[in-house]
Amino acid sequence: MAKIKKRGTTGQAKNFITRTQAVRKLQISLPDFRRLCIFKGIYPREPRSKKKASKTSTPNTTFYYTKDIQYLLHEPLLRKFREQKSLAKKIARSLGRGEVGDAARLEKNLAPKLSLDHIIKERYPTFVDALRDLDDCLSLLFLFASLPSTTSVPPKTIAQCQRLCHEFQHYLITTNSLRKSFLSIKGIYYQATIQGQDILWLVPYRFVQKVNGDVDYRIMATFVDFYTTLLGFVNFRLYTSIGLVYPPKFDAISDEKGAELTAFRLEGKNVEQLKAIEQPKAATNASNNEVSREVQEKVDNVVKMAGLDKDSGEQAAEDQATNEYAIDKFEPAAPEADTLPQPEASGDEAGSLFSSFTFFISREAPKAPLEFILRAFGCKRIAWDEISGEGAFTHDEKDTRITHQIVDRPQLPESALPSVPEDSKNGAVKVRNGGRIPGRTYIQPQWVWDCINDSKLLRPDLYAPGATLPPHLSPWVKTTRGAYDPRITLAAQEEEGEAERAAEEEDEESEDEENVAEAKATEVDDEEEEEDEEEDHGMDVDGSEDSESEEEEEEDFGGFDDAADAVSESEDEEEALRSQHQKELEAEAAGLPFSGSTNGTSSAKKSSKTKKYEAEKRKEEEELERQKMMLSRKKRKLLDKMLYSNKKKEEEAQKLRSKRRKIENATKSQA
């Protein structure tokens, strides 16, 4: 006879354990259990059947794997938690006795320090694993770096998050690893490529943050403790991989004055060696270029003397313009095909995008993100106003070395500007306060983000102060065929005859509105006439008038034949109303517009192109129905799903195009 199995020894009851049972087994409190699970990366599990997994009759909601809890029994942090608990009892006992000095001494000398180094090594055995899990880490640390200091968020934690974030930004600036960025409602998204891994994180805007009580900052502080340890390990590995000393030197005085990124100074032996190697390389490259130019000039002279410079000049210009090591661009084989994914720019191209420019950031523009992006893409000289903090290339806005100025306010008219100041210095630039310096390019901040997303310098006149900016699109969303693209003109993505059909629909809508307005006006006139008639033919007091009216009614009455005619006329009107209502129902079921008596006129007003388009669409639908009859049931359902999704996308794109068409027509009418 087989042995009888006891309940709770096999199956889901053995594989799962409740949270209460786990806390009792580990002999720690519930907050410490939460901290331990966050540190170790253990989270609740959902069994297939809660009834089978639960060993009691009460329905439990939180389950964990039994093996995970068994794994936590040998965790060294359990001993630290128990030491903290015993220390808390001793401090409470001392405070109860009134021994405040003993309590302070116990807290200062005997408080156990938690070390999460062994947990980082357990959870991330390789450095690539740590880079893959860096998205949430950076997003949370950048968030805490922008929070105000409160009782739940101490200033020490905020300073530590700011220091680690600035160190990571310096690595991206040194290696030119930043690739893309996007301005959204939530904040600024950044994407960097480090050792082949794409890292995407979110940085909130620097507004005044309000710390609400709805958020449990104890749990978030536990994540911050873990992520600060992780980012410290990652920064150390990244700095040492490129020969930099970690941690970099930090000037606290300049940081208090608003220096931020410039408060750090990077040091390393390999950096100086690389600079020494790059200088002779640049010199040799320059000499080689000069020699090649001299040889090319001699060849061109010989070709010109021989009279063979008809096509060779253009070919030589193209050869000089194209770079041998430039990234290839993949073009689709057919114009209707989908766009192929293009390769991203390399670190050298990213490091030379803004290398030849000198920027001045105005006071109203966001200094911190602009400084980080400009430095990450090769800009060495960035200036700003003295109020914004230290660390600028120059604080003089009238410096002639500045090539671009980032402005986020509209241009004032000349009448609103003050007069030109009298300057006695020789060679100084005389500029009004708030005026424009000649020879300098003024742009809005979006120009910087669009340039780095397109990996090229865009036209600055499109981003002039006060100008309507182009659409700022996400660089991670790729446009598909048939979808609406705001960067392309409306005529380039419209279907054949779509503009004419839209114009006809607008005309029909306007006519319907006019007819409705006329009908309402006639109803108002009829009501006024009826009111006037009631006022004229009210109750009469004189009996003679009553008798005269009765005689007139008797004379007007022509017998029962006239009454039958009136009844037949009313029946005809009811039948007309019924038929009109039936036509409206049929048109509504067919999905066609119906406007009563104006239906025939509106259909007659349709152009030949619209009728041709409708006929072709009807033929396509009929042909598609014939083809679907030849398919199997499974393939027919799959085709219906594809057609349904494509139709939804086309309708959405058509709505967006119609909105844009109305906006453009409104702007044209206003102009």
Side-chain angles (χ1 to χ4, degrees):
M1 185 175 177
K3 189 176 180 180
I4 299 175
K5 295 181 181 179
K6 292 183 179 180
R7 185 183 178 184
T9 57
T10 58
Q12 296 188 30
K14 182 181 179 181
N15 295 333
F16 291 94
I17 187 173
T18 62
R19 188 178 65 181
T20 305
Q21 293 170 350
V23 170
R24 289 176 182 174
K25 192 171 187 177
L26 296 175
Q27 296 181 3
I28 55 176
S29 61
L30 183 59
D32 290 341
F33 177 72
R34 288 198 186 103
R35 292 179 65 193
L36 188 61
C37 289
I38 290 172
F39 290 151
K40 299 291 288 187
I42 295 173
Y43 50 91
R45 306 286 181 165
E46 187 71 19
R48 292 182 179 178
S49 176
K50 289 186 177 181
K51 187 176 181 181
K52 293 181 179 180
S54 179
K55 299 176 184 178
T56 59
S57 59
T58 57
N60 298 292
T61 55
T62 307
F63 291 90
Y64 292 87
Y65 279 146
T66 307
K67 290 184 178 180
D68 291 342
I69 304 302
Q70 195 75 21
Y71 174 68
L72 291 178
L73 287 172
H74 307 283
E75 177 57 41
L77 288 178
L78 285 175
R79 187 182 61 184
K80 298 290 184 181
F81 290 158
R82 289 164 185 155
E83 290 177 359
Q84 286 181 349
K85 187 176 180 180
S86 62
L87 180 64
K89 288 183 179 179
K90 292 178 182 179
I91 293 173
R93 189 182 301 115
S94 299
L95 292 175
R97 293 173 181 175
E99 300 172 353
V100 181
D102 293 343
R105 178 180 55 81
L106 290 172
E107 186 178 4
K108 183 178 179 181
N109 299 330
L110 300 181
K113 295 181 180 179
L114 299 180
S115 177
L116 306 178
D117 298 349
H118 64 285
I119 296 181
I120 300 296
K121 294 177 183 178
E122 289 176 4
R123 292 185 60 177
Y124 308 107
T126 61
F127 185 62
V128 177
D129 296 333
L131 291 177
R132 289 173 183 169
D133 200 22
L134 211 60
D135 299 349
D136 296 335
C137 170
L138 292 174
S139 298
L140 185 63
L141 293 186
F142 272 99
L143 171 63
F144 266 75
S146 62
L147 290 179
S149 61
T150 57
T151 55
S152 55
V153 185
K156 186 178 179 181
T157 304
I158 297 172
Q160 186 181 9
C161 294
Q162 290 177 352
R163 181 179 60 81
L164 291 172
C165 293
H166 287 324
E167 289 173 359
F168 183 74
Q169 286 179 339
H170 269 291
Y171 172 79
L172 299 179
I173 292 170
T174 306
T175 57
N176 303 118
S177 301
L178 192 65
R179 290 292 174 266
K180 296 176 183 178
S181 181
F182 176 64
L183 301 169
S184 69
I185 300 175
K186 298 179 181 179
I188 305 175
Y189 285 93
Y190 295 98
Q191 183 183 2
T193 303
I194 301 174
Q195 297 185 8
Q197 301 296 324
D198 292 334
I199 302 170
L200 179 67
W201 71 96
L202 176 66
V203 179
Y205 294 112
R206 292 200 172 183
F207 298 139
V208 178
Q209 303 288 343
K210 293 183 180 179
V211 180
N212 297 326
D214 302 336
V215 182
D216 192 353
Y217 282 94
R218 293 180 299 173
I219 296 178
M220 294 185 69
T222 306
F223 278 102
V224 169
D225 293 339
F226 175 73
Y227 284 144
T228 50
T229 309
L230 172 61
L231 190 57
F233 271 89
V234 171
N235 286 345
F236 173 77
R237 180 67 179 271
L238 293 176
Y239 272 62
T240 54
S241 63
I242 59 175
L244 293 177
V245 177
Y246 186 83
K249 287 188 176 181
F250 175 68
D251 190 357
I253 298 174
S254 60
D255 183 66
E256 291 177 357
K257 296 180 180 179
E260 295 185 352
L261 281 176
T262 53
F264 293 84
R265 189 175 65 183
L266 306 181
E267 293 181 351
K269 297 180 180 179
N270 294 349
V271 176
E272 297 177 357
Q273 293 177 1
L274 288 173
K275 289 182 179 179
I277 292 170
E278 287 176 357
Q279 288 178 358
K281 275 187 179 180
T284 53
N285 291 334
S287 61
N288 292 334
N289 291 333
E290 291 178 359
V291 173
S292 60
R293 286 175 186 172
E294 292 177 358
V295 173
Q296 186 65 35
E297 288 177 359
K298 292 180 180 179
V299 172
D300 292 340
N301 292 331
V302 173
V303 171
K304 287 180 181 179
M305 291 176 63
L308 302 174
D309 57 341
K310 293 182 180 180
D311 297 331
S312 60
E314 298 176 0
Q315 186 67 27
E318 291 177 0
D319 293 338
Q320 290 179 1
T322 56
N323 188 5
E324 184 181 358
Y325 300 101
I327 298 177
D328 297 333
K329 291 184 179 180
F330 303 131
E331 296 180 358
E336 298 180 355
D338 295 334
T339 57
L340 299 173
Q342 301 295 333
E344 296 181 354
S346 60
D348 296 336
E349 293 182 356
S352 61
L353 187 62
F354 301 129
S355 58
S356 59
F357 301 145
T358 302
F359 286 88
F360 185 88
I361 303 174
S362 300
R363 288 180 293 177
E364 71 278 0
K367 182 183 79 75
L370 284 171
E371 181 189 2
F372 169 56
I373 289 179
L374 293 174
R375 292 189 187 278
F377 281 84
C379 184
K380 304 297 182 183
R381 300 184 297 182
I382 305 173
W384 55 76
D385 197 83
E386 192 174 0
I387 300 174
S388 301
E390 287 188 354
F393 169 69
T394 180
H395 295 299
D396 187 10
E397 186 178 354
K398 302 175 183 179
D399 196 333
T400 56
R401 292 172 292 181
I402 298 172
T403 59
H404 291 70
Q405 185 166 348
I406 302 174
V407 183
D408 201 11
R409 57 175 179 266
Q411 187 174 359
L412 296 174
E414 293 292 334
S415 60
L417 296 175
S419 59
V420 180
E422 296 180 359
D423 200 347
S424 59
K425 296 181 180 179
N426 297 327
V429 181
K430 297 182 179 180
V431 183
R432 296 178 178 180
N433 294 328
R436 297 289 182 258
I437 298 175
R440 184 180 297 182
T441 304
Y442 288 85
I443 49 176
Q444 297 190 42
Q446 185 181 330
W447 180 81
V448 179
W449 271 271
D450 289 349
C451 286
I452 67 173
N453 290 335
D454 292 346
S455 300
K456 63 180 181 180
L457 297 175
L458 302 177
R459 289 173 50 187
D461 57 332
L462 300 176
Y463 300 85
T468 303
L469 295 172
H472 181 61
L473 305 178
S474 173
W476 299 286
V477 178
K478 303 298 180 183
T479 56
T480 57
R481 186 181 61 184
Y484 173 73
D485 191 357
R487 293 172 294 186
I488 306 174
T489 58
L490 192 60
Q493 50 186 335
E494 282 181 340
E495 297 179 357
E496 185 178 357
E498 183 179 353
E500 297 178 358
R501 293 193 299 272
E504 289 178 359
E505 290 177 0
E506 290 179 0
D507 294 339
E508 290 176 3
E509 289 177 358
S510 61
E511 288 179 0
D512 293 340
E513 290 176 358
E514 290 177 358
N515 293 331
V516 170
E518 290 177 0
K520 287 182 179 180
T522 53
E523 288 177 0
V524 171
D525 294 339
D526 294 340
E527 290 177 358
E528 291 178 355
E529 289 177 359
E530 289 176 0
E531 290 176 357
D532 295 339
E533 288 177 359
E534 288 177 358
E535 290 177 358
D536 295 339
H537 303 284
M539 183 184 294
D540 294 331
V541 179
D542 196 359
S544 61
E545 292 180 358
D546 292 338
S547 59
E548 290 176 0
S549 61
E550 290 175 359
E551 291 175 359
E552 288 177 357
E553 287 178 359
E554 289 177 357
E555 291 175 358
D556 293 338
F557 180 70
F560 293 99
D561 294 336
D562 296 337
D565 293 339
V567 170
S568 62
E569 288 178 0
S570 63
E571 289 178 354
D572 293 338
E573 290 178 357
E574 290 178 358
E575 288 179 359
L577 291 173
R578 287 197 200 96
S579 62
Q580 184 179 359
H581 182 62
Q582 183 67 23
K583 289 179 182 179
E584 289 179 358
L585 292 176
E586 292 175 357
E588 184 178 357
L592 300 174
F594 183 81
S595 59
S597 61
T598 60
N599 192 13
T601 57
S602 62
S603 61
K605 287 182 181 179
K606 287 184 178 179
S607 64
S608 59
K609 289 185 179 180
T610 307
K611 292 179 181 179
K612 186 177 179 181
Y613 172 77
E614 292 178 354
E616 290 178 355
K617 200 167 185 180
R618 200 177 303 111
K619 287 181 181 179
E620 290 178 358
E621 292 177 355
E622 292 175 357
E623 183 65 25
L624 184 61
E625 290 294 331
R626 293 193 199 98
Q627 293 176 359
K628 285 169 65 177
M629 293 171 64
M630 305 298 293
L631 298 175
S632 62
R633 186 177 181 182
K634 185 177 181 181
K635 292 183 179 179
R636 196 184 304 124
K637 287 185 177 180
L638 182 62
L639 181 62
D640 289 337
K641 290 181 181 179
M642 294 170 60
L643 293 175
Y644 179 77
S645 60
N646 292 339
K647 186 179 179 181
K648 287 290 183 182
K649 292 178 182 178
E650 289 176 0
E651 289 177 356
E652 186 178 356
Q654 191 173 1
K655 285 181 181 179
L656 294 173
R657 288 196 296 268
S658 63
K659 286 182 180 180
R660 181 175 176 180
R661 192 182 298 109
K662 290 179 181 179
I663 292 171
E664 290 181 355
N665 293 335
T667 52
K668 287 180 182 178
S669 61
Q670 289 177 2

